[in-house]
């Protein structure tokens, strides 16, 4: 059985739980966006609901979209973010992201 025919009608969503505390965390998030999104329809960044987190994630998303637009839209997925109380760390943020879609 050809796996591509089975998955063709299924929307593929990648949830990235991110707590972008410093440059290393932002670089890890960027690496995920650049490298592990082939074949993905939507990417949801699930992050803490704090002003600093919202600011950092919005800058990352804006810069990624701009880079993508000047590079002939090589990444075809929809990019979105959701923000939650981070009381269960990254695993909890990932689970919260599941509720978003």
């Amino acid at each position: 059985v050809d796996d591509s025919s089975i998955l063709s009608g299924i929307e593929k969503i990648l949830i990235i739980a991110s707590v972008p505390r410093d440059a290393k965390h932002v670089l890890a998030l960027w690496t995920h966006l650049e490298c592990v999104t082939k074949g993905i329809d939507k990417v949801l960044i699930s992050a803490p609901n704090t002003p600093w987190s919202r600011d950092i994630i919005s800058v990352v998303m804006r810069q990624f979209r701009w880079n993508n637009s000047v590079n002939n839209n090589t990444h075809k997925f929809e990019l979105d973010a959701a923000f939650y109380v981070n009381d269960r760390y990254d695993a909890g943020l990932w689970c919260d992201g599941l509720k978003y879609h």
Side-chain angles (χ1 to χ4, degrees):
V1 174
D2 180 10
D3 288 341
S4 63
S5 64
I6 294 170
L7 298 177
S8 65
I10 298 173
E11 186 174 57
K12 293 162 276 309
I13 300 172
L14 172 64
I15 299 171
I16 303 172
S18 179
V19 181
R21 289 187 191 131
D22 56 31
K24 287 182 181 179
H25 288 95
V26 172
L27 181 59
L29 172 58
W30 193 274
T31 301
H32 277 86
L33 293 172
E34 285 281 337
C35 300
V36 298
T37 53
K38 184 177 181 181
I40 299 294
D41 300 307
K42 291 183 181 179
V43 173
L44 174 69
I45 301 170
S46 181
N49 190 14
T50 62
W52 61 266
S53 175
R54 285 179 171 274
D55 290 346
I56 292 169
I57 295 299
S58 70
V59 169
V60 167
M61 290 175 60
R62 186 171 47 249
Q63 187 64 42
F64 188 83
R65 287 179 177 135
W66 183 85
N67 284 12
N68 196 39
S69 71
V70 298
N71 289 313
N72 298 318
N73 293 313
T74 54
H75 299 283
K76 303 293 183 192
F77 56 85
E78 177 185 330
L79 180 59
D80 201 0
F83 300 92
Y84 302 96
V85 173
N86 188 23
D87 58 356
R88 295 172 292 150
Y89 306 99
D90 290 351
L93 287 170
W94 189 84
C95 292
D96 289 336
L98 286 175
K99 296 175 196 170
Y100 184 80
H101 283 285

